Amino acid sequence: MNIDQFKASFENEDACRSFFESVLWRSGRLCPHCHCDKSYRLSGESVRAGLYECAQCKRQFTVISHTPMHSTELPLWKWLLAMYYMVNSSKGVSSIFLAKWVGISQKSAWKLGHAIRKMMDPGAELLPALSGIVELDEKYIGDKPRYEHGVKHKRGRGTQKQ
Ligand SMILES: [Zn+2]
């Protein structure tokens, strides 16, 4: 997805929330408090968008409850934009650049980056496990080539390694 497609896909908070709901609740909405799969959407003028009430424990939740995005002051599109930059950068993004690109303070960017990395952690139980065909970006395996006087081994793309 290029940045224009990104902007078109996540043009407002509702679109961003729907995206998170479709990913995090892929196999049905779950109450983060008791893991019950029966809940109701709350509506009304005083109710914030995306709020649900569990049929079993009667507690309320949204798609970001019990995630590192919980109680965020940033709009969801900024979270998604930061995720977009982070997953599209093979070497990681510093909080200085993240702050500049997302339009937040460096302190916020640092927290944001930390929270996103936490969500990307394979040990995190927030996201469903990978299944089916999983693709990995390029990776060179093996140690440095043996030193040979006067021979300069190419790095990256030009390497002879597998
Ligand atoms: Zn519940």
Side-chain angles (χ1 to χ4, degrees):
M1 184 184 283
N2 66 35
I3 194 71
D4 288 330
Q5 291 165 326
F6 177 89
K7 283 181 186 166
S9 304
F10 303 115
E11 56 178 2
N12 55 41
E13 285 296 280
D14 285 339
C16 296
R17 195 178 332 95
S18 297
F19 170 76
F20 281 122
E21 289 184 355
S22 72
V23 173
L24 293 168
W25 292 335
R26 195 176 300 168
S27 35
R29 194 165 61 229
L30 279 183
C31 167
H33 309 290
C34 73
H35 306 290
C36 167
D37 61 359
K38 297 241 175 341
S39 55
Y40 311 98
R41 180 187 283 276
L42 296 173
S43 55
E45 273 181 29
S46 58
V47 175
R48 70 195 147 107
L51 192 65
Y52 299 91
E53 188 177 282
C54 176
Q56 189 171 277
C57 72
K58 306 287 177 198
R59 292 169 80 180
Q60 296 178 353
F61 61 91
T62 70
V63 71
I64 61 169
S65 298
H66 287 219
T67 75
M69 294 185 285
H70 187 71
S71 74
T72 180
E73 286 170 12
L74 295 173
L76 293 177
W77 70 265
K78 290 206 174 193
W79 279 90
L80 277 169
L81 188 62
M83 289 174 187
Y84 175 84
Y85 287 133
M86 287 174 73
V87 298
N88 282 298
S89 156
S90 57
K91 291 191 173 173
V93 179
S94 76
S95 58
I96 298 168
F97 282 106
L98 208 54
K100 200 152 83 176
W101 292 335
V102 179
I104 51 179
S105 71
Q106 199 195 327
K107 196 179 166 194
S108 296
W110 189 87
K111 281 189 199 165
L112 198 66
H114 187 75
I116 292 170
R117 276 187 290 276
K118 194 173 171 187
M119 287 187 275
M120 289 165 80
D121 186 325
E125 287 165 21
L126 297 163
L127 299 169
L130 298 172
S131 62
I133 296 171
V134 178
E135 288 188 25
L136 178 75
D137 266 2
E138 73 269 25
K139 180 83 188 166
Y140 301 103
I141 297 176
D143 206 349
K144 284 180 178 174
R146 187 179 300 202
Y147 174 78
E148 291 170 70
H149 183 74
V151 177
K152 198 170 192 294
H153 294 282
K154 287 183 178 170
R155 304 175 71 176
R157 253 175 214 280
T159 185
Q160 296 298 307
K161 285 184 189 185
Q162 288 192 319

